[in-house]
């Protein structure tokens, strides 16, 4: 993270964490303010989707409650279908003051003091509900904020407040590392109607937002924003990303969306805003599906050409569907190209990243590898939408694709839980529901969150186990909706009314339905603390961070979590200790509720410990640090290579004197491509290996000099290199790209092969070969090479021109690599090295670079010639020690050359013919003749 101290991070998100609210400079009353502006990880729970525009209720929930009605009147009022926010008397929290000792008493907290605490910690508040709309009635769509007219006659016709629309999970994650990421700038919109703002007012807001809140507002016309946000984002992208593709012609908008023009325009305005403030060294972090075009717009900027090499990361907070779903979008190619403008594209889970790689491969016909996407030349220009096209997205650029699960700020949550107001509400809840078991849920009221499925499962649970009637309640906290008929449309209100009418008694109501604005965060934490189970039945979700909050709040009680297998959280091994459910299986979910309520304390504790280990390990801090660090590294790896024209050609006049006057020299020479140019035709590859006489003679010449220690670096198997070793015994050999090494024979000692993979499980090879045989049958001319510790697939052995057959072979190779990586990579710890016509599969942490590191280690053979073993591979290069005066490396392995550049006594020469970090360049065809100049020197 220390490297981030040297960079400013520009965080682009659709909504800023802070907004300017029209009106007097003094904020509203603390109670209303705390409820309206609160954001928590719940926004992230819903995939980072901000709520639809609606004011929170102006009612004071924490105010002194009205006198309690009779229990009959209370139940009658509770039987009302929860289409609208219930009156305050229906909120169980409003009754607590009458059921518990006076808050003003000793050891208690007064409601006013609780409200003040909620204000100071408003960032943890639950966020309001935002609905999903596959079909929105324009007549019922509320404005973002009531339209007002403002003039500049008043110095401050507005005040700043936390933005209820912002991505709360992202904000909390960034705030969790604020002490280490001190230089940041948010870029986004205010989330309010701004057409009436004049130029002077906008300038005032710009200035104060930058000075006080490190934010840069993006000014977007209301009509343009609403078309982008309400139509394209909510009615096209959101359903698609969550597998909710509507049936045509039910909604034509999904397939033929004119709102994409406004979506592109909004992205372009973000690009212009970032261009105006970007400086060299800034890291641009773009967030979520609202800004999928922004990375490429920045990368292709004509206003600031230096952005072509800027560090740009894109993180998708929501799910990413399979290619069969995403391909339904008419603008699919534009969106994918936009994302590929980044150096790093991040996702919550491995399956989302895999879906993205496969989608890009199948739709854009580019090479998708396990580590990322090899971007080719995408010449199409989209003048109609204002999206530039052409080559500047980079012929040969590589875009990393990574997995970065979000988490919560565990330390901040623990601090909040220790506050007295939480304990106060825990006490009251236990008194209010004494003798009952509580199942808690917190979801947005749309079909994707599966609230109806949850209610139906709870209803079935009460029917199948009637002994729990009157003993178990479902307390469902719902994020608010903007249209009253959306509850009825989703069937939620009908199910709630049916359950309560069927199972309620004078003293019992099975479903308690609360809206978010009725529950402060302190009360929400109290609910999580007293819950006997937490139930999530999402049909599709990015990362359910509310489950992380529940696990942390259960420290001391250890009650179980019931979690949908379609959430991102469930994909991680730590969360496999939950009770997994398929929300479409009502009987299975009902059974899971029964299992959770009857689970023994020992089993519950064991499950909770696994869940808690994940929560405290995969935190918000880990998410931010890992993503930004990887983003910087990706940009460095992809752009640091110096242009080949600026690398000097190997100058023997300068190097030969150093070579001659060094008392001891280590030579690291690539075999294939440098000392030997193999026949890459099918016949040549299948023919028996014959050691090239010229290369063997050169190696013997080098090794005959007592001051030289020569190492031949090769990817060939041992059985082939044994022939070289027999003719050049004084040469050390690294085989199979670092899997094996042969100590050179010196004074009759050495000459033995040492396995670098002796302690590794190599049973994966059989499975890998089986997969590759499948693809071999479908790829003409391809074949598999199984070696001792690695596998090579030669998918193309024909002409090197980019013909249709070769394009097909490359597509098949990309599919094969993804399949191997997804099915075997994590399980066995494998990595894949792609080539132009083949790829290599071998164990992780095995490479020529690690082999050379072991060779040059003080305990290795380069420093102890009599050593017959290799030290640990995971060691730094230390060839500068001892009496080694000159390290000379010639080859095309950029990772090795870059590593050797750390040595003061090393000279690195690249024969790749591409951009390189090596100190010198050399044409591979001239390598043999040039090496003879050194070999013939004393």
């Amino acid at each position: 993270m220390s490297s981030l101290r040297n960079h400013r991070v520009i965080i682009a998100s659709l909504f800023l964490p802070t907004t300017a609210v029209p009106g007097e400079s003094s904020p509203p009353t603390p109670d209303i303010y705390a409820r309206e502006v609160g954001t928590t990880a719940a926004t992230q729970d819903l995939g980072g989707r901000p709520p639809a525009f609606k004011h929170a209720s102006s009612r004071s929930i924490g105010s002194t409650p009205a006198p309690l009605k009779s229990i009959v009147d209370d139940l009658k009022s509770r039987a009302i279908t929860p289409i609208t926010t219930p009156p305050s008397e229906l909120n169980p929290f409003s009754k607590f003051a009458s059921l518990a000792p006076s808050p003003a008493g000793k050891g208690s907290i007064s409601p006013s003091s609780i409200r003040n605490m909620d204000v100071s910690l408003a960032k943890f508040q639950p966020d309001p509900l935002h609905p999903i709309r596959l079909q929105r009635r324009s007549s019922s769509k509320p404005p973002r904020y009531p339209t007002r007219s403002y003039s500049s006659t008043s110095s401050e016709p507005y005040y700043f407040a936390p933005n209820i629309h912002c991505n709360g999970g992202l904000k909390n994650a960034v705030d969790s590392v604020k002490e280490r990421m001190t230089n940041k700038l948010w870029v986004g919109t205010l989330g309010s109607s701004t057409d009436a703002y004049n130029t002077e007012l906008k300038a005032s807001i710009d200035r104060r937002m930058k000075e006080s809140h490190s934010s840069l507002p993006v000014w977007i016309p209301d009509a343009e924003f609403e078309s982008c946000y309400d139509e394209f984002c909510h009615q096209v992208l959101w359903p698609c990303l969550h597998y909710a593709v509507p049936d045509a012609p039910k909604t034509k908008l999904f397939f033929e969306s004119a709102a994409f023009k406004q979506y592109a325009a909004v992205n372009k305005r973000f690009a212009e805003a970032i261009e105006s403030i970007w400086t060299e060294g800034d890291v641009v972090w773009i967030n979520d599906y609202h800004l999928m075009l922004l990375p490429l717009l920045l990368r292709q900027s004509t206003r600031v050409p230096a952005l072509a090499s800027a560090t740009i990361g894109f993180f998708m907070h929501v799910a990413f569907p399979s290619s069969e779903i995403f391909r339904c979008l008419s603008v699919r190619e534009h969106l994918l190209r936009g994302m590929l403008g980044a150096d790093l594209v991040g996702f919550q889970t491995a399956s989302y990243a895999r879906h993205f790689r496969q989608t890009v491969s199948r739709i854009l016909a580019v090479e998708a590898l396990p580590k990322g996407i090899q971007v080719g030349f995408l010449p199409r220009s989209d003048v109609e939408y204002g999206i530039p096209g052409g080559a500047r997205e980079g012929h040969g650029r590589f875009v990393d694709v990574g997995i970065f699960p979000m988490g919560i700020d565990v330390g901040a949550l623990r601090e909040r839980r220790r506050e007295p107001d939480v304990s106060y509400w825990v006490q009251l809840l236990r008194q209010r529901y004494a003798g009952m078991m509580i199942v808690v849920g917190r979801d947005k009221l749309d079909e994707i969150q599966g609230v109806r499925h949850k209610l139906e499962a709870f209803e079935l649970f009460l029917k199948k186990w009637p002994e729990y009637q009157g003993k178990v309640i479902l307390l469902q906290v719902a994020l608010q909706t903007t249209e009253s008929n959306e509850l009825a449309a989703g069937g939620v209100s009908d199910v709630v009314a049916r359950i309560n009418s069927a199972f309620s008694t004078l003293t019992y109501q099975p479903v308690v339905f609360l809206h978010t604005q009725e529950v402060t965060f302190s009360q929400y934490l109290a609910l999580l603390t007293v819950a006997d189970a937490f139930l999530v039945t999402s049909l599709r979700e990015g990362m359910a961070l509310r489950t992380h909050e529940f696990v942390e709040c259960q420290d001391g009680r250890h009650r179980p979590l019931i979690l949908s297998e379609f959430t991102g959280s469930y994909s991680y091994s730590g969360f496999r200790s939950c009770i997994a459910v398929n929300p479409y299986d009502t009987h299975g979910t009902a059974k899971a509720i029964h299992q959770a309520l009857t689970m023994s304390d020992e089993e519950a504790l064991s499950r909770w410990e696994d869940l808690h280990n994940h929560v405290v390990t995969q935190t918000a801090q880990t998410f931010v640090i890992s993503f930004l660090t990887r983003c910087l590294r990706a940009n460095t790896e992809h752009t640091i290579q110096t242009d080949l024209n600026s690398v000097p050609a190997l100058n023997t006049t300068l190097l030969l004197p150093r070579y001659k006057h060094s008392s001891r020299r280590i030579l690291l020479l690539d075999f294939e491509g440098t000392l030997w140019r193999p026949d890459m035709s099918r016949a040549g590859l299948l023919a028996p290996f014959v050691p090239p006489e010229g290369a063997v003679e050169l190696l013997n010449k080098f090794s005959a000099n007592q001051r030289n220690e020569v190492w031949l670096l090769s990817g060939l198997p041992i059985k082939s290199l044994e022939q070289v070793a027999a003719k050049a015994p004084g040469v050390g050999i690294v085989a199979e790209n670092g899997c094996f090494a042969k100590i050179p024979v010196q004074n009759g000692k050495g000459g033995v092969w040492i396995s670098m993979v002796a302690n590794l499980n190599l049973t994966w090879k059989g499975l890998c070969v089986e997969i590759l045989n499948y693809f071999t049958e479908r790829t003409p001319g391809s074949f598999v090479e199984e070696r001792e510790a690695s596998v090579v697939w030669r998918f193309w052995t024909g002409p090197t021109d980019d013909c249709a057959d070769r394009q097909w072979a490359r597509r098949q190779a990309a599919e094969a690599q993804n399949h191997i990586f997804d099915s075997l990579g994590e399980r066995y710890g494998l990595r894949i090295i792609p080539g132009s016509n083949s790829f290599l599969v071998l164990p992780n942490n095995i490479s020529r670079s690690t082999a050379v590191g072991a060779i040059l280690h003080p305990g290795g053979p380069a420093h102890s010639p009599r050593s017959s073993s290799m030290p640990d591979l995971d060691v730094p290069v230390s060839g500068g020690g001892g009496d080694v005066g000159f390290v000379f490396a010639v080859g095309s392995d950029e990772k090795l050359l870059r590593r050797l550049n750390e040595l003061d006594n090393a000279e690195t020469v690249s024969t790749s013919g591409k951009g390189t970090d090596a100190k010198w360049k050399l044409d591979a065809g001239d390598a043999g003749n040039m090496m003879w100049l050194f070999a013939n020197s004393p």
Side-chain angles (χ1 to χ4, degrees), residues 612-660:
H612 192 251
N613 285 337
H614 177 88
V615 170
V616 299
T617 301
Q618 192 54 59
T619 61
Q621 293 89 336
T622 302
F623 163 70
V624 175
I625 293 171
S626 60
F627 180 84
L628 293 177
T629 303
R630 173 79 175 272
C631 191
L632 284 167
R633 186 171 74 246
N635 178 265
T636 300
E637 291 176 352
H638 303 160
T639 62
I640 197 172
Q641 291 185 352
T642 310
D643 183 76
L644 188 62
N645 294 327
S646 61
V647 179
L650 180 62
N651 190 331
T652 55
T653 304
L654 294 177
L655 291 189
L656 276 174
R658 283 196 58 194
Y659 177 84
K660 293 178 180 178

Side-chain angles (χ1 to χ4, degrees), residues 93-121:
F93 289 104
S94 67
K95 302 180 176 61
F96 288 163
S98 302
L99 299 173
S102 171
K106 184 178 180 180
S108 301
I109 307 297
S110 66
S112 60
S113 64
I114 292 175
R115 292 194 295 269
N116 291 335
M117 293 179 193
D118 286 340
V119 172
S120 63
L121 291 154

Side-chain angles (χ1 to χ4, degrees), residues 14 65 138 148 217 252 361 369 405 461 497 503 537 577 589 638 684 704 814 826 870 877 889 892 911 921 926:
L14 187 64
S138 59
R148 288 184 177 179
K252 187 178 180 180
S361 174
L369 308 174
F461 162 75
F503 300 103
T537 55
S577 293
T589 306
H638 303 160
E826 182 178 359
M870 287 288 190
V877 171
S892 57
T911 59
K921 66 181 178 183
D926 299 331

